[in-house]
Amino acid sequence: MRIINKCLSKEEFEKYISKKRVKRRIDKIILHHTWDTVWQWKRRKVSIPYYKKMYEEKGWKAGPHIFAAPEGIWLFTNIDIQGIHANAGNNGSVGIEMVGRYDKKPPSGKVWKNTKAVLKTLLKKFNLSVKDIHFHREYNPKKSCPGKAITKKWLKTIEKDSL
Ligand SMILES: [Zn+2]
């Protein structure tokens, strides 16, 4: 599996996306959580290479496109390539992993700040609106992903928050 494997600041990500030529059609964004916690991420029990290996073991040729982590925004699968992350939702989507587990509480702090920057930048780039942000569980009802605390009502709060 080929990944970009670069960690960008919010500003660097905005610049990267504004210059990026994307030839495939993008009509939605799909949110995920890693389910492994921020605590595990910070202690490097889980990481970009960890997930890459996990996806490769499933036989996947691609993964989600972006990881919103506490230290920055990781570019994983090139957004110009269809990712593998949400079954029937893979087609036409950008898949975003929020580092952490959000069944009880939505993300806060830097993960949230970076997630918001990613969403805001991608919606603008592809002329989408908050209603075009979908959840993994819409494509796989067996999963709670991106976490039970992440709801359409919660998305409305981002909308107010100048998205
Ligand atoms: Zn997911």
Side-chain angles (χ1 to χ4, degrees):
M1 177 186 299
R2 202 178 283 172
I3 65 166
I4 299 176
N5 198 24
K6 256 191 210 156
C7 187
L8 305 181
S9 70
K10 181 175 168 282
E11 292 73 23
E12 288 168 334
F13 180 76
E14 282 166 9
K15 204 171 161 196
Y16 170 81
I17 293 296
S18 75
K19 288 186 179 166
K20 177 83 181 159
R21 280 193 62 196
V22 180
K23 281 164 257 134
R24 71 185 181 107
R25 177 187 55 96
I26 305 288
D27 58 18
K28 58 188 164 296
I29 290 168
I30 300 182
L31 270 181
H32 301 266
H33 63 163
T34 56
W35 194 81
D36 298 309
T37 64
V38 174
W39 189 93
Q40 287 169 296
W41 180 275
K42 284 186 175 165
R43 275 151 196 81
R44 299 179 187 267
K45 311 253 182 227
V46 293
S47 60
I48 293 296
Y50 170 92
Y51 293 113
K52 179 176 185 275
K53 187 165 172 271
M54 189 177 91
Y55 302 141
E56 282 171 343
E57 281 167 2
K58 293 177 197 257
W60 294 3
K61 296 270 181 288
H65 299 94
I66 291 158
F67 281 70
E71 71 280 18
I73 299 162
W74 284 93
L75 303 177
F76 197 82
T77 294
N78 183 343
I79 56 169
D80 204 21
I81 294 170
Q82 179 170 316
I84 300 183
H85 53 93
N87 309 73
N90 292 333
N91 186 25
S93 72
V94 178
I96 301 166
E97 289 282 347
M98 300 185 286
V99 168
R101 187 183 296 181
Y102 301 112
D103 282 322
K104 291 196 174 129
K105 278 193 293 185
S108 58
K110 288 186 178 154
V111 172
W112 177 222
K113 202 182 113 232
N114 287 328
T115 299
K116 249 191 319 193
V118 167
L119 292 175
K120 192 175 170 177
T121 305
L122 294 178
L123 291 184
K124 189 175 162 217
K125 170 83 172 179
F126 299 110
N127 277 314
L128 304 173
S129 65
V130 170
K131 69 168 176 30
D132 302 312
I133 302 173
H134 294 272
F135 303 148
H136 184 188
R137 63 175 176 264
E138 294 173 47
Y139 302 94
N140 185 349
K142 281 185 229 150
K143 301 210 172 214
S144 71
C145 187
K148 289 176 194 147
I150 306 299
T151 61
K152 294 288 172 180
K153 197 178 159 198
W154 173 82
L155 273 184
K156 290 274 179 198
T157 69
I158 335 181
E159 202 164 21
K160 285 188 201 119
D161 209 1
S162 81
L163 250 187

